[in-house]
Amino acid sequence: MKIYLASIFVDDQNKALRFYTDVLGFVKKTEVPLGGGALWLTVVSPDNPDGAELLLEPAGHPAVGPYREALVNDGIPLTQFAVDDVHAEFKRLSELGVRFTQEPMQMGPVTTAVFDDTCGNLIQIVHHA
C-alpha cells in the first residue's frame, strides 16, 4: 500500500493552482471539470511526477470552514511538505512574499517552518537531518 492522493481544501482553486505552481514549484497533473465550476485539480512534485498527488479541493463543505479556522487560530499546519533545506526554502519563499507564521526552528532531528498558503491553510515545511 502507498499514498496515492492527499487533499487540501482551498478557497479558490485557480488562486491555489497559481500559488502551488508559481510560488511553491509544484506542477499541475490533472484538471477535470466536475460541473458547477469545480475541478478535480491535482499537483505533483516536478521531481516525482508519478508520485503522490495533492488534490486542491474546493472548501465548500460546511464543516471545512470551522475546521480550518480552528487549525489556523491554533497555529496548526494542515499538512507538511519535505524540502532539502528549510532555511534555503524559507529565504526563497520569503523573497517571493510568502508570509511565514513560524520561522525555521530545529526540533530534535528535524527543522521546520510554517507558512500561510493564501488559500486558508497553514503548511509546514520540514527537513530531516
Side-chain angles (χ1 to χ4, degrees), residues 46-58:
D47 297 333
N48 191 7
D50 294 321
E53 298 177 43
L54 181 66
L55 175 64
L56 304 176
E57 189 165 351

Side-chain angles (χ1 to χ4, degrees), residues 49-101:
D50 294 321
E53 298 177 43
L54 181 66
L55 175 64
L56 304 176
E57 189 165 351
H61 189 281
V64 172
Y67 170 70
R68 288 193 313 161
E69 183 178 327
L71 291 177
V72 169
N73 287 343
D74 289 342
I76 299 171
L78 182 65
T79 195
Q80 295 183 358
F81 299 143
V83 297
D84 292 331
D85 181 335
V86 168
H87 292 281
E89 199 64 20
F90 172 81
K91 182 177 187 237
R92 182 185 80 80
L93 292 175
S94 293
E95 289 171 354
L96 291 172
V98 173
R99 184 179 71 82
F100 278 80
T101 61

Side-chain angles (χ1 to χ4, degrees), residues 14-127:
N14 291 318
K15 178 182 174 184
L17 180 62
R18 284 189 303 275
F19 182 82
Y20 278 78
T21 57
D22 296 346
V23 177
L24 298 185
F26 291 103
V27 293
K28 181 169 67 172
K29 171 99 180 203
T30 308
E31 182 175 344
V32 177
L34 298 176
L39 302 167
W40 182 268
L41 183 61
T42 68
V43 295
V44 294
S45 168
D47 297 333
N48 191 7
D50 294 321
E53 298 177 43
L54 181 66
L55 175 64
L56 304 176
E57 189 165 351
H61 189 281
V64 172
Y67 170 70
R68 288 193 313 161
E69 183 178 327
L71 291 177
V72 169
N73 287 343
D74 289 342
I76 299 171
L78 182 65
T79 195
Q80 295 183 358
F81 299 143
V83 297
D84 292 331
D85 181 335
V86 168
H87 292 281
E89 199 64 20
F90 172 81
K91 182 177 187 237
R92 182 185 80 80
L93 292 175
S94 293
E95 289 171 354
L96 291 172
V98 173
R99 184 179 71 82
F100 278 80
T101 61
Q102 177 203 305
E103 293 190 6
M105 173 186 294
Q106 187 168 356
M107 297 190 288
V110 300
T111 302
T112 66
V114 178
F115 65 85
D116 181 337
D117 78 349
T118 75
C119 304
N121 307 291
L122 297 179
I123 306 295
Q124 185 172 63
I125 52 176
V126 62
H127 166 85

